[in-house]
Amino acid sequence: MDDHASALPAGAETALPHTDEVPATPPAPTEPPLLRWPLTFHGQGSEYFRIWIVNLALSIVTLGIYSAWAKVRRLKYFYGNTELAGARFDYTADPLRILKGRAIAFVFFAAYMALYALHPITAIIAGLLLWLALPWMIVRSLAFNLRYTRYRNVAFGFTGTAGGGYKHFLLLPLLLIPSLGMAFPYVHHQQRQFLLNNMRFGNQSFAMKPVIGPYFLIYLAAMGIAGGVMLMLIIMGAVIAAIGGGIVWATDWELPSWLIGVVAVGGIFLAYALFGMIYAIVMQTMRVALLNVTWSNTRVADCQIESKIALLGYIKLLCTRIPLLVITLGLATPWVVVTLTRYRLQHTALLAPNDLGGFEAAVASYGNVAGSEAGELFDLDLAL
């Protein structure tokens, strides 16, 4: 047995490939070697189906009131089945607090509809006020969800301010107007960096390096692929229509009008289905590519996050799972969600010292951090 491998802690892998070659110049022992701690997902589609179907049924019967409990059950299942270095994550939010936030959101929406019925001008004013409140709601919702996300009984957190939220989610998007939308990758990057740089685990902060160039490249590639595939489908549709029309003309067939209608409706439905499937695949693949870039350039404490989700493998999964969703009218959703989650997490890891030093420091100092959160006033989840 490899002596080095046998000395690794349980659940850890070497971060660098093993080699028998002796380096000409040994590295200076200034930093401890990093180990790879992969994430593991233990969830099963059949298990999640039981949670999913009960959540769906009770949410419908209670007119949405149960959705707060449904969210807690869903996140507790997914977090509780995600393992890192022998410990699992947890979600500990109180459903009543989530229900309170959703009730406030419902009151805002009901007030907007009432004002709209009263006069269109008042509806515009109410919509403007809601738009002004959106950055604050984003910050508070993220702070809420992270506060109740735990690992080794240590809570995550968010230190971003409402001012930062207004800068990144209200002012920065104004760049889209003069740039005709071309600045969207930059805006998205800045928003993601704001959110990550204000995240923390215990007393340890996350830090995302600027990766604006890759964001632009990913968006451009997605637009190019989507445009190319759509053009190809349009050409194929035109060719098929021309061939069909040519056959009918050459053979002098007299097709009944109902059959022409069925073929036309079927063709439109097929075109919409293909368009929806391509849109979903491109958007999901772009999202995963952005996740790879974002997380692979993010650190927390002395740990580097690694995200190497294989895009071709992910596209293959989407090509088989999305039609399954259509065929089963959505009943296969739990199996699809579990499969995609497992695939993403098995390609994600933490590169950390042998003893997960920064994480252990966060665990040791968590008592003081928890005490500082006791005075939090706006503990809301606004379902954003």
Side-chain angles (χ1 to χ4, degrees), residues 45-317:
S46 57
E47 292 176 348
Y48 180 51
F49 177 78
R50 291 193 286 273
I51 296 173
W52 178 79
I53 197 70
V54 171
N55 284 348
L56 181 63
L58 291 180
S59 295
I60 293 174
V61 169
T62 61
L63 301 178
I65 294 176
Y66 186 78
S67 64
W69 282 264
K71 174 181 178 177
V72 173
R73 289 189 69 198
R74 174 173 54 83
L75 292 182
K76 284 187 78 70
Y77 179 78
F78 278 93
Y79 290 6
N81 280 293
T82 302
E83 180 179 330
L84 173 65
R88 300 196 181 193
F89 292 79
D90 194 9
Y91 186 71
T92 61
D94 181 358
L96 285 176
R97 289 183 177 273
I98 297 176
L99 185 62
K100 182 175 69 173
R102 295 188 176 188
I104 293 174
F106 177 77
V107 168
F108 273 114
F109 179 73
Y112 172 79
M113 295 304 295
L115 290 171
Y116 182 80
L118 184 65
H119 197 281
I121 297 298
T122 56
I124 293 174
I125 296 174
L128 182 61
L129 292 176
L130 190 62
W131 178 63
L132 291 174
L134 189 60
W136 177 83
M137 291 193 289
I138 291 173
V139 169
R140 296 318 315 163
S141 283
L142 185 60
F144 175 90
N145 284 304
L146 286 175
R147 185 175 307 111
Y148 294 106
T149 300
R150 293 171 181 263
Y151 175 73
R152 295 188 177 184
N153 204 31
V154 179
F156 287 77
F158 185 71
T159 58
T161 63
Y166 278 101
K167 175 184 175 183
H168 290 86
F169 291 98
L170 197 66
L171 297 180
L172 206 55
L174 295 178
L175 288 176
L176 301 179
I177 299 174
S179 67
L180 301 178
M182 297 301 292
F184 187 80
Y186 172 76
V187 173
H188 187 194
H189 173 274
Q190 294 302 101
Q191 292 173 341
R192 185 68 63 86
Q193 193 176 37
F194 164 71
L195 297 178
L196 280 176
N197 286 349
N198 284 288
M199 278 179 57
R200 58 179 170 77
F201 173 70
N203 65 345
Q204 306 291 317
S205 299
F206 284 71
M208 173 188 167
K209 292 191 297 187
V211 282
I212 298 173
Y215 264 61
F216 271 95
L217 289 177
I218 290 171
Y219 271 95
L220 286 174
M223 291 171 59
I225 292 172
V229 173
M230 293 305 298
L231 180 62
M232 184 179 69
L233 286 177
I234 291 173
I235 294 174
M236 286 177 60
V239 170
I240 291 174
I243 293 175
I247 292 175
V248 171
W249 177 80
T251 56
D252 198 21
W253 286 352
E254 293 186 1
L255 298 177
S257 57
W258 64 268
L259 182 58
I260 295 175
V262 168
V263 171
V265 171
I268 293 173
F269 176 79
L270 182 62
Y272 272 107
L274 286 173
F275 175 79
M277 182 173 173
I278 291 170
Y279 177 80
I281 290 174
V282 170
M283 293 302 294
Q284 286 294 317
T285 306
M286 183 180 71
R287 174 172 168 264
V288 167
L290 290 172
L291 283 179
N292 278 343
V293 170
T294 301
W295 284 120
S296 295
N297 287 279
T298 300
R299 296 181 66 92
V300 52
D302 54 356
C303 307
Q304 173 66 52
I305 299 174
E306 178 189 88
S307 181
K308 293 184 176 179
I309 306 169
L311 298 184
L312 285 179
Y314 198 72
I315 291 173
K316 289 179 182 176
L317 281 179

Side-chain angles (χ1 to χ4, degrees), residues 305-371:
I305 299 174
E306 178 189 88
S307 181
K308 293 184 176 179
I309 306 169
L311 298 184
L312 285 179
Y314 198 72
I315 291 173
K316 289 179 182 176
L317 281 179
L318 292 173
C319 288
T320 55
R321 283 358 185 238
I322 290 178
L324 187 62
L325 285 176
V326 177
I327 293 170
T328 62
L329 301 178
L331 287 175
T333 297
W335 285 272
V336 173
V337 172
V338 165
T339 299
L340 296 179
T341 301
R342 181 184 295 112
Y343 189 80
R344 289 195 299 266
L345 291 182
Q346 73 184 15
H347 291 88
T348 306
L350 197 67
L351 305 181
N354 184 26
D355 58 352
L356 286 174
F359 271 36
E360 296 296 348
V363 173
S365 63
Y366 180 61
N368 294 331
V369 176

